[in-house]
């Protein structure tokens, strides 16, 4: 949205200067998009070529574009130049390195390996802060010196040439299969989301949500739920979701005199769910494809009903909250015209239809289907919401899409590359097996205590690192334990991913809540408590999935899956009203007990 205030004479000049500055970033974004889409069309590329190039393309965005101080800017240039050269050397010497089988044979390679590992840690630190790099550094320290730890948690020791070589010049760490997911799958869906966001799709989401829910009790809050679900399905980022839809929905709710803590909590809870909302979902879904060997289409179908329950739980919470507060609907003047709803909805409906049709009817891979949807979305950038064609508008929107795609690919890439170091160390040292044994021992080989331990670990780790990283690390150490106790592998992964997801709402570190609270100018702890009460069902749904596993079988047993979904929804209804509605204590406890019984006993 452009400001409506009158510009000063200096502002156009400033905008032109900014445009000139950003031209290089537009070009870099175009290179990144062309490279990642090109991988889809021109066939297989060796991992030690495509994955180092992926990292090389990410470095300028993380180290230079996002630099906040003079020191970061200068050091960013130095690290980027050296990092691009190091990644380039790996790619150019791919054939030679493949024949070394992860063993470093000279001092140059040793220095290169150490530099690349430290660079991956620094890139992740600048992108998302200290927690994930510290976890990775602790894993590296364990790999290097864990032989000195007494007892079963030590390891026999690894030759440094083999340890660092496997992590940095072979496909066991930086260039492992997780990085391959970032290169070959996540990047193309990030590009699709960036192109949709650059056009009128976001406006279409808001218009459709307003038309569907604006006239209902608590209409502004329900618009937030629907728009955040739709927007989240293409962004996969809770923070980006809050920043975009929240900029509209939070002020609207406050103007309608909704409590500020409630307005911020609704947006925070709704925005977090976008990462499990088909058809695009977040990066974690594509990582799940690699870790479970399950086709993406099957994961998407398995997530449909749980994601419906996620947003249904928030919707139910809003209705329950409305019994205590006057949550008015949107004014008629704030409702979009029907024609505008239809037109703007086409900007996301057409690419979504192409994506799903190419995946499910034509049988294409998710990344190939997404690349075709990207091309359709690019064509739609030539038109605005009034269906007016403009080359200048197309150029501006395309530039915005390229820059945002480059940034998002780099951000997710830096997270996954750093997390790949942890996975590499777990594989080399066998630490994952030892932690699995510990979980089994503490839970006395019982499933539900093991689930509780895993949920707590996910919530704690997810407070500090992004959802995808928390999921990868937790499922690597706890997933085998849950599976050995008889849990279906896909269900185990969905359980872990779910708790990593809702950790963004759980104090004391809850990034999405911080953002929403700032936008509503409200105390963050008050927002967090309201969000947890409003989304009480979100902590129950993953446990309900374990007790009612048919819910993820929509593709194979749709009737049973739908019946289980209705049963869980009825239980969530009782629990939410028991927690949020204005009731006497006896009735409150009774509703909660009834709800739990419906979900876990019947």
């Amino acid at each position: 949205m452009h400001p409506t205030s009158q510009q000063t004479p200096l502002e156009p000049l400033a905008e032109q200067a900014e445009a000139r500055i950003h031209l290089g970033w537009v070009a870099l974004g175009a290179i990144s998009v062309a490279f990642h889409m090109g991988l889809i069309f021109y066939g297989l590329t060796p991992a030690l070529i495509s994955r180092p190039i992926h990292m090389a393309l990410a470095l300028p965005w993380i180290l230079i574009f996002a630099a906040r101080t003079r020191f970061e800017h200068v050091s960013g240039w130095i690290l980027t130049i050296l990092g691009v050269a190091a990644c380039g050397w790996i790619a150019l010497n791919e054939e030679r390195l493949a024949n070394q089988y992860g063993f470093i044979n000279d001092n140059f390679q040793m220095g290169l390996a150490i530099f690349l590992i430290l660079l991956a840690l620094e890139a992740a630190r600048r992108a998302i802060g200290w927690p994930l790099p510290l976890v990775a550094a602790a894993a590296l320290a364990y790999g290097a010196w864990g032989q000195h730890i007494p007892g079963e948690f030590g390891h026999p020791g690894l030759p440094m040439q083999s340890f660092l070589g496997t992590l940095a010049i072979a496909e066991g760490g930086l260039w492992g299969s997780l990085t391959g997911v970032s290169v070959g799958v996540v990047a193309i869906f990030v590009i699709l989301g960036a192109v949709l966001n650059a056009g009128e799709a976001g406006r279409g989401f808001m218009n459709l949500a307003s038309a569907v829910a604006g006239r209902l009790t608590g209409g502004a809050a329900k618009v937030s739920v629907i728009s955040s679900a739709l927007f989240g399905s293409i962004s996969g980022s809770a923070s980006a979701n809050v920043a975009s839809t929240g900029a509209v929905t939070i002020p609207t709710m406050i103007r309608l005199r909704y409590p500020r803590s409630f307005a911020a909590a609704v947006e925070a809870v709704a925005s977090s769910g976008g990462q499990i909302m088909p058809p695009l979902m977040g990066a974690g879904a594509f990582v799940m494809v690699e870790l479970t060997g399950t086709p993406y289409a099957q994961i998407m179908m398995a997530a449909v009903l749980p994601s419906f329950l996620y947003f249904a739980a928030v919707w139910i919470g809003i209705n329950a909250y409305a019994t205590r507060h006057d949550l008015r609907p949107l004014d008629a003047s704030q409702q979009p015209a029907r024609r505008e709803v239809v037109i703007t909805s086409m900007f996301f409906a057409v690419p979504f239809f192409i994506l799903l049709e190419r995946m499910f009817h034509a049988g294409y891979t998710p990344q190939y289907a997404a690349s075709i949807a990207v091309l359709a979305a690019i064509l739609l950038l030539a038109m605005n919401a009034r269906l007016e064609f403009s080359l200048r508008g197309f150029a501006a929107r395309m530039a915005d899409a390229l820059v945002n795609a480059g940034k998002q690919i780099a951000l997710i890439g830096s997270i996954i590359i750093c997390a790949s170091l942890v996975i590499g160390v777990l594989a080399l040292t066998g630490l994952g097996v030892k932690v699995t044994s510990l979980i089994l021992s503490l839970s006395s080989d019982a499933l539900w205590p093991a689930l509780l331990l895993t949920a707590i670990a996910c919530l704690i780790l997810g407070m500090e690192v992004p959802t995808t990283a928390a999921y990868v690390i937790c499922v690597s150490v706890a997933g085998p334990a849950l599976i050995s106790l008889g849990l279906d592998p896909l269900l185990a992964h969905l359980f872990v991913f779910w708790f990593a997801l809702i950790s963004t709402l759980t104090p004391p570190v809850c990034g999405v809540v911080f953002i929403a609270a700032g936008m509503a100018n409200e105390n963050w702890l008050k927002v967090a408590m309201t969000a947890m009460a409003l989304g009480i069902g979100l902590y129950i749904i993953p446990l309900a999935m374990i007790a009612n596993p048919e819910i993820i079988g929509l593709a194979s047993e749709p009737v049973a899956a739908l019946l289980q979904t209705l049963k869980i929804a009825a239980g969530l209804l009782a629990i939410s009203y028991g927690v949020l509605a204005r009731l006497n204590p006896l009735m409150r406890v009774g509703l909660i007990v009834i709800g739990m019984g419906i979900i876990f006993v019947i």
Side-chain angles (χ1 to χ4, degrees):
M1 296 178 64
H2 297 287
T4 55
S5 58
Q6 187 176 2
Q7 287 181 322
T8 66
L10 293 177
E11 284 175 333
L13 296 177
E15 289 176 1
Q16 291 173 17
E18 188 178 3
R20 285 196 298 270
I21 291 170
H22 288 312
L23 189 60
W25 294 111
V26 173
L28 182 60
I31 293 170
S32 183
V33 168
F35 168 73
H36 290 97
M37 288 193 67
L39 290 175
I40 308 298
F41 290 106
Y42 58 64
L44 296 174
T45 302
L48 288 182
I49 293 178
S50 61
R51 296 170 193 179
I53 293 175
H54 177 65
M55 181 175 176
L57 289 170
L59 292 175
W61 297 102
I62 301 299
L63 300 175
I64 301 174
F65 185 87
R68 295 177 293 271
T69 65
R70 177 69 177 171
F71 173 78
E72 284 190 359
H73 188 76
V74 173
S75 61
W77 270 102
I78 295 171
L79 290 174
T80 297
I81 292 170
L82 294 175
V84 170
C87 292
W89 189 90
I90 297 286
L92 290 172
N93 292 275
E94 174 268 335
E95 187 173 347
R96 169 187 168 188
L97 295 175
N99 293 326
Q100 292 182 208
Y101 302 102
F103 190 86
I104 291 174
N105 56 20
D106 59 44
N107 289 332
F108 172 77
Q109 290 184 8
M110 178 65 76
L112 184 76
I114 293 171
F115 171 72
L116 282 170
I117 290 170
L118 293 176
L119 183 63
L121 297 177
E122 174 63 7
R125 185 194 69 81
R126 293 200 186 189
I128 57 171
W130 280 104
L132 178 59
L134 286 177
V135 171
L140 290 167
Y142 175 80
W145 300 295
Q147 67 270 24
H148 302 298
I149 298 176
E152 62 177 310
F153 279 92
H155 63 77
L158 299 165
M160 201 57 66
Q161 292 90 339
S162 179
F163 175 59
L164 295 179
T166 302
L167 294 178
I169 66 170
E171 297 176 34
L174 295 174
W175 323 125
S177 57
L178 275 187
T179 304
V181 174
S182 180
V183 177
V185 184
V186 175
I188 194 69
F189 280 87
V190 167
I191 293 167
L192 176 56
V195 175
L196 289 172
N197 285 331
E200 300 288 352
R203 185 173 174 182
F205 291 149
M206 292 299 300
N207 285 340
L208 180 61
S210 298
V212 170
R215 293 182 175 86
L216 303 176
T217 300
K222 291 172 180 175
V223 167
S224 173
V225 173
I226 296 175
S227 61
S228 293
L230 293 170
F231 183 87
S233 72
I234 66 168
S235 73
S237 167
S239 299
N241 203 339
V242 170
S244 54
T245 59
V248 177
T249 60
I250 290 176
T252 300
M253 285 187 271
I254 292 173
R255 280 198 302 272
L256 291 171
R257 298 185 179 179
Y258 292 16
R260 288 179 180 270
S261 59
F262 174 78
V266 168
E267 183 59 45
V269 174
S271 293
S272 295
Q275 295 176 80
I276 57 163
M277 180 67 178
L280 271 64
M281 306 172 71
F286 305 111
V287 174
M288 198 179 298
V289 172
E290 174 65 28
L291 295 180
T292 64
T294 305
Y296 173 70
Q298 187 176 334
I299 287 178
M300 189 173 71
M301 290 299 291
V304 167
L305 294 179
S307 66
F308 164 78
L309 281 174
Y310 183 105
F311 292 103
V314 184
W315 192 283
I316 290 167
I318 292 169
N319 282 333
Y321 204 86
T323 64
R324 300 170 59 183
H325 298 274
D326 179 23
L327 302 183
R328 292 181 291 170
L330 289 175
D331 297 331
S333 60
Q334 295 175 293
Q335 300 284 333
R338 183 173 299 178
R339 183 175 184 275
E340 182 183 356
V341 173
V342 172
I343 291 174
T344 55
S345 295
M346 289 299 103
F347 283 90
F348 68 83
V350 170
F352 275 16
F353 174 80
I354 291 172
L355 172 68
L356 296 175
E357 190 278 333
R358 292 291 85 187
M359 281 177 57
F360 290 102
H361 182 260
Y364 292 171
T365 62
Q367 53 267 46
Y368 193 84
S371 66
I372 298 173
V374 167
L375 297 177
I378 288 173
L379 293 177
L380 291 173
L381 293 180
M383 291 183 291
N384 61 19
R386 295 183 295 275
L387 297 182
E388 296 170 343
F389 180 83
S390 169
L391 285 177
R392 179 176 294 181
F394 172 79
R397 296 185 192 103
M398 192 66 204
D400 182 50
L402 293 172
V403 170
N404 283 323
K407 286 193 299 183
Q408 285 299 314
I409 291 170
L411 176 62
I412 294 174
S414 66
I415 293 170
I416 289 181
I417 288 170
C418 187
S420 293
L421 289 173
V422 179
I423 304 306
V425 172
L426 291 176
L428 286 169
T429 61
L431 179 61
V433 176
K434 295 167 185 174
V435 175
T436 296
S437 299
L438 178 64
I439 292 173
L440 293 173
S441 174
L442 291 174
S443 62
S444 301
D445 288 337
L447 177 60
W448 285 94
L451 289 169
L452 180 61
L453 290 171
T454 303
I456 293 171
C458 289
L459 288 174
I460 293 172
L461 186 60
M463 291 177 193
E464 296 290 344
V465 302
T467 300
T468 301
Y471 156 67
V472 169
I473 295 169
C474 280
V475 85
S476 297
V477 296
L482 299 180
I483 294 168
S484 70
L485 290 172
L487 205 59
D488 178 82
L490 180 55
L491 192 56
H493 280 255
L494 287 171
F495 177 86
V496 172
F497 184 69
W498 192 287
F499 271 104
L501 168 73
I502 59 177
S503 65
T504 60
L505 302 171
T506 308
V509 182
C510 36
V512 176
V513 168
F514 293 154
I515 297 171
M519 297 176 76
N521 194 25
E522 179 59 280
N523 179 274
W524 72 269
L525 188 57
K526 191 174 180 181
V527 173
M529 293 298 104
T530 305
M532 291 178 70
L534 184 67
I536 186 68
L538 309 183
Y539 295 86
I540 298 171
I541 291 171
L543 300 172
M545 288 163 54
I546 304 298
N548 305 274
E550 297 90 348
I551 193 175
I552 69 169
L554 181 61
S556 57
E557 298 181 31
V559 175
L562 290 170
L563 288 175
Q564 292 296 334
T565 301
L566 292 174
K567 187 185 84 168
I568 295 171
L572 293 176
L573 177 66
I575 293 168
S576 290
Y577 271 83
V579 172
L580 290 170
R582 193 186 299 276
L583 302 168
N584 64 60
L586 184 61
M587 187 173 291
R588 188 183 299 277
V589 172
L591 279 175
I592 293 173
V593 171
I594 289 170
M596 298 295 279
I598 291 173
I599 294 173
F600 295 104
V601 178
I602 296 178

